[in-house]
Amino acid sequence: MAPGALPLVGHSLAYRGDPLSFLLSLAARGPLVGMRLGPIDAYLLREPDDIERVLVTEHRRFWKDRMTRGLGRVLGDGLLTSEGDIWLRHRRLLAPAFHRERIAAYGNDMALAAERFALSLQPREVRDLHRDMMRLTLNIVAKALFDSDVDDRAADVARAINFVTDRFGDGLITLYPWVERLPLPDHRRLRDAIATLDDVLLGIVRERRARPRGGSDLLSMLLAAEDDAGRGLSDREMRDELMTLFLAGHETTALALSFAFVLLGRNPDIEARLCAEIDAVLGQDLPTTDTLARLPYARAVVLETLRLYPPAYAIGREAIEDLTLCGYRIPRGTQLWMAQYVNHRDARYFPEPERFLPDRWLGGLERALPRFAYYPFGGGPRICIGNQFSLLEATIVLATILRRFRVRLLDSSPLALDPLITLRPRGPIVVAYEPAPPPERELLRPAVSPS
């Protein structure tokens, strides 16, 4: 157990004061280090082999940790929070919508949405980058997955998501569930925020049910999906899965894009190299799923961004039986944490770990790394079902915007982070969008405009 635990609260104050530094300090103490967070004991795993054991080879001995299960208050029994037969049935019903070929078909919608966003910008207008990326990815997930437009509700959705994230991100409700029963104003606001998200999603479902059956979007597939017994998803199950995909499907990619533009803005040589690749490959054309294979540096920028600033910065499991790990007895009910933010900074695998070096991904590093030295989307049977969707979206949006603009940071202070449910920037990221200079070579193809 790490030193410094206080009576009753344990390490909670140290953790809540600076979660990322606290987790890094734990990892420096050894492969398995304990902490006490209020009423629970948790252990941080550091070594990739031990993480693989928990997430893959012995995954049936664990289920989601207490804090993740607490998100069921918002997400219900979606893929992130459900367990056992419920999770397996839902995963099988959703899997066809995330096959590689199906994901590839979403690329055009992603590029057109990013192009519309770029064309809407006023050059050198001061804006909040994170807010822009949240709105853009919200529209992408609504169109590509639900074939719906929610731009008119984007502000309401953003406020609701921010409030839900703040309330659940500090862990207070999940560590002390009885707190939510207190008659406090924030608890009414939490219910209102969840109701707002429900209203948007159920509105999408109602609109889609009114259409003739058919369609290639996720919602159409869910409406038609049946298991081996001929049962589809109930309305409540549909709501839970849509809520999970809706929240996770746009916020995590918005964060990755926000962090990528910040890193590029602070590394102009890397930005120039990336823009040269985009110009050489795309010219004035929009990126497509097929052209991404010719944008290896763009992909490397995305991978390196996810290394330094993984939106899912830590994941957890709970032991459902007694076991031995790293030579220590782990009782049933123990919380086990694995922190991507920590593992992605391990100098054994990533020399100069705090530097933004996309080149490290161009020489086969992905194949050479231990399986859980780098795992921005988790791993094992519970790996994020939308991982390929997110990688495709981030790369296409990055390339599309950089065709027209450079994102200039207007604040040179260090990026402040807020590790809540996801790893978020603390406060706005103030930027201006500067028109891209004309390419050095003559472009013969006409510009592509969104329909």
Side-chain angles (χ1 to χ4, degrees), residues 349-370:
Y349 310 115
F350 306 103
E352 300 183 89
E354 294 295 339
R355 288 190 62 192
F356 179 56
L357 298 173
D359 282 82
R360 72 172 87 235
W361 298 99
L362 299 178
L365 179 62
E366 284 181 271
R367 294 186 298 273
L369 285 172

Side-chain angles (χ1 to χ4, degrees), residues 114-121 123 275 278 283-286 397-407 433-438 446-450:
E115 180 76 340
R116 280 192 293 270
F117 165 75
L119 291 172
S120 74
L121 294 172
C275 292
I278 292 169
Q284 291 183 344
D285 293 339
L286 287 174
V397 170
L398 197 66
T400 302
I401 292 175
L402 288 174
R403 289 168 59 255
R404 296 187 178 275
F405 288 96
R406 306 292 180 261
V407 180
Y433 295 89
E434 180 180 298
V448 177
S449 298

Side-chain angles (χ1 to χ4, degrees), residues 408-428:
R408 295 294 171 244
L409 303 173
L410 301 183
D411 184 352
S412 60
S413 59
L415 180 64
L417 300 173
D418 216 357
L420 298 171
I421 298 173
T422 51
L423 185 62
R424 305 182 115 206
R426 181 173 294 165

